[in-house]
Amino acid sequence: TKFKDGINNFLHDNPNTKLILSIREDFYYMIGKSGIIQYLDKNDYFLPPLPHSSAVDAIVKPAERFGFSFEEGLPEEIVADLKQGEIITDNNHGIDPSQLQIVCDKLYQESVINKVKIITRELYLRLGKAEEILAKYIEDSLGVFKGNEYELSSAKEILKSMVSSKNTRKPVTKDILKGCVKDTKNLDHIVKSLIEARLIRRISGDLHCESYELTHEYIIKKINEWMDMDTLNLNKLREMLDNELLRWQKYSVLNNFISDEEMIRELNTYKERIIHNDDIDAYILASLVNSNMLDKVSINDTKYWICKCKNSKNIDKYFECIIKNRKGYARNCALFLWLALTNKNNVPDYYR
């Protein structure tokens, strides 16, 4: 706050001054939340990930300044290992400096303990190479929540939500993260701690739709140790639901409502744990109606989805599709629920 106020006051008093700010990408969004943004001309320059040669230099040259050296070929091997972990999802083919820093710091600390000045491949292998070093870093980083089981458990749930059913990184929105914690009051603190620990990063510049993802593929291996079958099923269901909803929103046809009975049963099983919003709830209820599944699920489940859709602003587009294109029971049921949920007193002519 003092820094922000100082910058604001300085720029206000010196409007013709040119100022260069260097800030980590995962904290860049904070500029948008402050008054500093009004003084910027949006002359942003993002430094790309380190290319291969620069990454090797970043390993060797700082070490030389402190009298340390690496066994021949080891810096190139470290860079190759880190690049292999990123190539699955990233197209930049560069090296994240933060991951490089974690690996090199561990090698340095071990060398200091062993009182040696040459960092060897044998040491690197003994530590499990980049993959195990980064995985161990997760355990050490979560130590920030030591003594607070609630925050530790919530942090793990947040990390688990960022792993897809295909075992890759998955971006998640702030709304999804809210479903990972029991008390949303602590969410910002937990997310901030995970960002500062370099376990997750912010990937959306839109303040109204904040998104986050894991910083590295290697982290997934450790997270998988926390996964049980229930969590794996839930993650898969969430992805299936998101995909089905996106298809419906793209084509808006009857065939894109959920019709698979097994998926509908899963949605009812995990109804308290999926991420709810007006679109998802209206889409699920409309799918139950369109597939004639309302009489096949329990009364409590039917009541649950109807209550979720009360006062929903997105009922019309889903139920209109059924009313206009279906006949018989499904159409009558959709029309009845639409009247009840929208508090309409009569049926519009275009629904007749």
Side-chain angles (χ1 to χ4, degrees):
T1 301
K2 290 182 179 180
F3 172 76
K4 181 190 73 174
D5 292 342
I7 293 292
N8 280 328
N9 293 336
F10 178 78
L11 291 175
H12 181 269
D13 296 336
N14 303 274
N16 295 321
T17 301
K18 294 188 181 296
L19 185 66
I20 297 175
L21 292 177
S22 176
I23 188 168
R24 271 173 34 194
E25 184 178 3
D26 42 351
F27 288 119
Y28 181 76
Y29 76 99
M30 295 178 70
I31 293 179
K33 291 184 175 181
S34 71
I36 299 175
I37 194 69
Q38 64 180 304
Y39 298 108
L40 301 181
D41 293 326
K42 295 186 177 179
N43 293 320
D44 300 335
Y45 179 76
F46 286 90
L47 291 173
L50 295 172
H52 185 279
S53 59
S54 298
V56 171
D57 286 343
I59 294 174
V60 175
K61 292 184 177 180
E64 288 178 345
R65 294 184 61 185
F66 291 89
F68 285 81
S69 62
F70 286 79
E71 181 179 327
E72 185 177 354
L74 179 57
E76 289 80 5
E77 181 176 351
I78 294 172
V79 171
D81 288 343
L82 288 171
K83 188 173 181 180
Q84 183 179 12
E86 286 290 333
I87 203 169
I88 299 173
T89 57
D90 292 347
N91 295 319
N92 52 51
H93 305 301
I95 303 301
D96 183 346
S98 65
Q99 309 301 325
L100 194 66
Q101 180 183 7
I102 292 168
V103 173
C104 290
D105 181 66
K106 184 63 176 177
L107 291 170
Y108 168 75
Q109 296 297 339
E110 288 293 322
S111 298
V112 170
I113 293 173
N114 295 327
K115 297 180 179 180
V116 295
K117 290 287 187 176
I118 300 176
I119 299 174
T120 65
R121 186 170 186 272
E122 185 278 330
L123 172 62
Y124 181 59
L125 293 176
R126 177 156 51 85
L127 293 174
K129 305 181 72 172
E131 182 174 1
E132 290 299 324
I133 292 173
L134 291 172
K136 181 65 169 57
Y137 176 78
I138 301 173
E139 295 181 3
D140 296 338
S141 298
L142 290 176
V144 69
F145 302 112
K146 187 177 181 181
N148 192 322
E149 286 300 318
Y150 165 72
E151 288 191 355
L152 177 60
S153 175
S154 297
K156 288 184 176 182
E157 288 300 317
I158 287 173
L159 294 174
K160 287 192 286 186
S161 73
M162 297 180 182
V163 179
S164 75
S165 59
K166 295 182 180 179
N167 231 27
T168 58
R169 281 182 291 183
K170 179 180 68 175
V172 297
T173 63
K174 191 72 171 288
D175 285 339
I176 290 178
L177 296 186
K178 289 178 181 178
C180 296
V181 298
K182 294 180 180 179
D183 185 357
T184 57
K185 293 179 181 179
N186 293 329
L187 179 60
D188 287 341
H189 164 69
I190 296 172
V191 169
K192 180 182 178 182
S193 297
L194 291 173
I195 290 175
E196 291 178 348
R198 300 295 185 90
L199 295 179
I200 67 174
R201 60 188 171 202
R202 193 176 188 276
I203 58 174
S204 171
D206 185 352
L207 297 179
H208 302 291
C209 186
E210 298 180 8
S211 297
Y212 304 85
E213 70 173 2
L214 297 173
T215 55
H216 208 284
E217 292 284 336
Y218 287 137
I219 297 176
I220 293 175
K221 182 177 180 180
K222 183 62 183 178
I223 295 175
N224 282 338
E225 296 179 11
W226 311 330
M227 295 279 200
D228 54 21
M229 189 56 65
D230 194 54
T231 302
L232 292 172
N233 288 338
L234 177 60
N235 283 353
K236 184 177 181 180
L237 180 65
R238 284 172 173 169
E239 291 172 29
M240 291 171 61
L241 179 58
D242 288 342
N243 290 335
E244 295 289 340
L245 179 57
L246 284 173
R247 272 193 286 270
W248 193 93
Q249 291 174 336
K250 182 177 182 179
Y251 300 107
S252 301
V253 296
L254 291 173
N255 288 340
N256 292 125
F257 282 114
I258 302 169
S259 58
D260 182 74
E261 292 188 15
E262 179 61 30
M263 184 174 177
I264 289 176
R265 280 195 292 269
E266 290 284 291
L267 286 170
N268 284 315
T269 299
Y270 293 99
K271 60 180 179 290
E272 299 288 354
R273 297 176 64 187
I274 64 174
I275 307 304
H276 292 279
N277 60 44
D278 283 354
D279 268 310
I280 285 178
D281 293 332
Y283 174 66
I284 292 175
L285 180 59
S287 293
L288 289 170
V289 173
N290 184 62
S291 60
N292 294 324
M293 285 289 290
L294 278 180
D295 59 345
K296 296 180 181 179
V297 301
S298 71
I299 294 176
N300 287 336
D301 287 336
T302 300
K303 288 181 178 179
Y304 179 87
W305 294 113
I306 292 174
C307 288
K308 279 291 181 182
C309 292
K310 281 185 177 179
N311 303 317
S312 172
K313 299 178 181 179
N314 297 332
I315 283 290
D316 287 0
K317 58 185 177 182
Y318 299 105
F319 280 73
E320 179 180 322
C321 180
I322 300 174
I323 296 169
K324 286 186 174 182
N325 297 288
R326 289 295 301 272
K327 296 180 180 180
Y329 174 79
R331 181 184 186 279
N332 293 336
C333 186
L335 191 55
F336 173 78
L337 286 175
W338 178 81
L339 288 169
L341 291 169
T342 57
N343 297 314
K344 302 291 185 182
N345 295 320
N346 52 59
V347 181
D349 290 339
Y350 55 81
Y351 279 172
R352 294 181 185 276

